[in-house]
Amino acid sequence: MKKFRHDRDIQLMIGNLLRAGVVLAFFIVLAGAVIYLFRHGNELPEYHVFQRGLNNFHTFSAIWEGLLAGHGRAIIQFGIVVLILTPISRIAFSVIGFLLEKDYLYAGITLAVLAIIISSLIAGMGA
Amino acid sequence: MRPVTIRINLKNKVKASGEETILIMTILVFTLVILLGSLLAGFLGSLTGLGGGFVIIPLLTLVFGIDIRYAIGASLVAVIATSSGAASSYVKEGITNMRLGMFLEIATTLGAVAGAFLAVYTSTHIIAILFGFILIFSAILSLRRKDETALTPSASMLAQRLKLNSSYPTPQGVIDYSVTNVPGGFLIMLGAGILSGLLGLGAGVLKVLAMDNVMRVPFKVSTTTSNFMIGVTAAASAGIYLYRGYIDPGLCMPVVLGVLAGAFLGSKVLARANSHSLRTVFAFIILVIALEMLYNGFTKKI
């Protein structure tokens, strides 16, 4: 049952990768949360009306600048980006896993999914 | 420290009739309440394969009167957190059918991209009505669900060539199963992807339906494989929502923390849970939320 062993290996790799991404995102968001709540915990939440303001950190460069400035909200947003990248990196690692297992059909299928997602992310950020 | 009060109207849009309930809440208190709601969302979402969005969107829009675009952004983040948080356990335990998930992800991601672009041309109350109908649909579906022991010993050529037939662990030992009607399942997944892109949630309902009823996959495999897939579908449209400013860090922070903790708990419970009774309870919960959503959608309160 050599094949099963390989599938088991992929399962463990994917499982550990997801766990790592999720734990990393959790602690980054937690760090940002402490700063954000310490500074703004007593202010007013304003979410009744949607506004795409400057403070929203909706581009990578804005998040990066906010990170360097030590803004709690930027750190949180960075953690959210890590969280978003977790399932995407899961797909990238699956491609490698299926290639190692010489399952070229599924390496191809997974590569197609990866291509769709990356093009969607790029199109979304540039839109 | 300045004296701070925030008015969060529990009945935000009924000012004209005069019966307005006002709750005074700071960001700190608000964060704690969202954290608790998100804990529940992650727990139920990971147990049912539906993602946390079903709890997050009604909580934010109906209880707090938050703009649905912020709610959709938070829901999207909740779905990714539920999926990744719980999948790490489900995949390791071998309940998730990874090949089935990967294959169907082609359909869901293509659909999600299409849906996210369509969302710009759709007004929010229509989204709310759509959401309500999805919930009613899923409630009826959950109540009608048959017992999961009967498995079809089919010989689908396509399933064999795609290596979709597999096995999964149960309390009674490892059980083999096969997959039927691959094209039908694939088409429904395309629809599920469009809905998720449109609404900002995983549309796990359609995914579980397609696998459980059309492809005849065991229920726990259906829910955990749906859970595995919804994160990828949501991530496909996350870039677009992030750029549009739907994903607000202050709002998403308690959602991420709560949902991840809840999903972790849910994944511990699933292996031992009696999914039939849980399914029934959940069907009634989402039926109630569905009616509230439809009411708000049709009266254009959202």
Side-chain angles (χ1 to χ4, degrees):
Chain A
M1 292 301 280
K2 203 179 164 203
K3 195 185 154 294
F4 179 74
R5 280 252 306 281
H6 279 290
D7 263 13
R8 191 77 204 124
D9 289 343
I10 292 187
Q11 282 176 0
L12 285 178
M13 180 184 74
I14 298 298
N16 287 331
L17 179 80
L18 289 171
R19 178 68 47 87
V22 156
V23 168
L24 191 66
F26 184 90
F27 283 105
I28 294 173
V29 170
L30 191 66
V34 171
I35 297 174
Y36 170 66
L37 289 178
F38 187 74
R39 288 184 185 158
H40 303 286
N42 281 323
E43 289 170 23
L44 326 172
E46 267 308 329
Y47 299 113
H48 294 300
V49 182
F50 177 76
Q51 42 180 298
R52 191 177 174 276
L54 292 171
N55 264 356
N56 277 340
F57 299 113
H58 45 245
T59 62
F60 288 124
S61 55
I63 295 170
W64 183 245
E65 279 169 33
L67 262 183
L68 293 180
H71 288 300
R73 286 165 58 86
I75 298 171
I76 293 169
Q77 201 76 316
F78 179 65
I80 292 170
V81 170
V82 171
L83 185 70
I84 293 171
L85 290 178
T86 299
I88 298 170
S89 58
R90 183 266 280 174
I91 299 173
F93 275 84
S94 305
V95 177
I96 299 167
F98 283 126
L99 280 177
L100 287 176
E101 204 185 307
K102 295 194 168 58
D103 188 339
Y104 299 116
L105 174 66
Y106 271 86
I109 286 173
T110 316
L111 206 58
V113 175
L114 189 64
I116 295 167
I117 288 190
I118 288 177
S119 54
S120 136
L121 276 178
I122 291 169
M125 295 304 280
Chain B
M1 205 173 284
R2 57 179 164 130
V4 178
T5 51
I6 167 66
R7 299 161 16 123
I8 290 205
N9 298 343
L10 285 176
K11 299 218 158 76
N12 193 36
K13 310 278 161 58
V14 289
K15 278 173 196 157
S17 63
E19 36 171 313
E20 190 181 6
T21 317
I22 296 171
L23 208 70
I24 292 164
M25 220 177 235
T26 61
I27 284 182
L28 189 64
V29 178
F30 176 75
T31 298
L32 288 175
V33 176
I34 303 289
L35 191 74
L36 285 178
S38 302
L39 198 71
L40 183 71
F43 184 74
L44 290 178
S46 61
L47 276 182
T48 54
L50 300 178
F54 285 94
V55 181
I56 296 292
I57 288 193
L59 176 71
L60 298 186
T61 57
L62 297 180
V63 179
F64 291 106
I66 290 169
D67 189 288
I68 196 159
R69 280 163 287 194
Y70 284 132
I72 285 174
S75 156
L76 197 75
V77 169
V79 168
I80 299 173
T82 313
S83 170
S84 302
S88 59
S89 299
Y90 297 156
V91 167
K92 277 187 183 177
E93 287 160 22
I95 309 174
T96 305
N97 186 333
M98 286 217 315
R99 281 199 168 76
L100 181 62
M102 303 261 184
F103 171 67
L104 294 175
E105 269 165 15
I106 296 179
T108 56
T109 47
L110 275 179
V113 173
F117 282 105
L118 284 174
V120 187
Y121 309 102
T122 318
S123 36
T124 50
H125 70 277
I126 294 176
I127 295 182
I129 291 170
L130 272 175
F131 184 52
F133 279 119
I134 292 172
L135 287 175
I136 288 185
F137 184 53
S138 63
I140 294 168
L141 197 84
S142 299
L143 287 173
R144 282 186 49 214
R145 190 108 55 191
K146 314 165 287 291
D147 219 48
E148 62 205 66
T149 40
L151 299 177
T152 44
S154 77
S156 161
M157 277 295 288
L158 203 52
Q160 239 161 9
R161 290 186 69 174
L162 290 165
K163 289 178 264 187
L164 298 180
N165 303 328
S166 185
S167 60
Y168 78 115
T170 68
Q172 289 80 39
V174 175
I175 290 183
D176 289 311
Y177 61 88
S178 50
V179 179
T180 59
N181 198 354
V182 178
F186 192 85
L187 273 180
I188 297 177
M189 289 296 168
L190 205 60
I194 292 174
L195 275 175
S196 76
L198 208 53
L199 297 176
L201 41 93
V205 178
L206 278 179
K207 293 190 174 90
V208 177
L209 163 74
M211 284 185 276
D212 190 36
N213 288 15
V214 179
M215 304 180 91
R216 300 289 169 141
V217 176
F219 184 64
K220 269 190 188 177
V221 177
S222 298
T223 56
T224 57
T225 304
S226 165
N227 175 78
F228 180 72
M229 295 168 62
I230 53 178
V232 168
T233 319
S237 42
I240 296 165
Y241 285 111
L242 189 75
Y243 182 76
R244 284 191 198 143
Y246 287 22
I247 296 175
D248 183 274
L251 186 61
C252 289
M253 173 264 287
V255 171
V256 171
L257 299 179
V259 163
L260 282 180
F264 183 74
L265 284 176
S267 67
K268 295 290 161 213
V269 169
L270 179 115
R272 281 163 288 152
N274 175 354
S275 50
H276 186 75
S277 55
L278 200 107
R279 198 191 287 149
T280 311
V281 173
F282 192 61
F284 280 109
I285 296 171
I286 56 184
L287 198 61
V288 172
I289 302 168
L291 295 176
E292 288 178 64
M293 264 291 161
L294 284 178
Y295 172 76
N296 279 317
F298 280 118
T299 52
K300 299 200 177 180
K301 286 185 174 178
I302 282 179

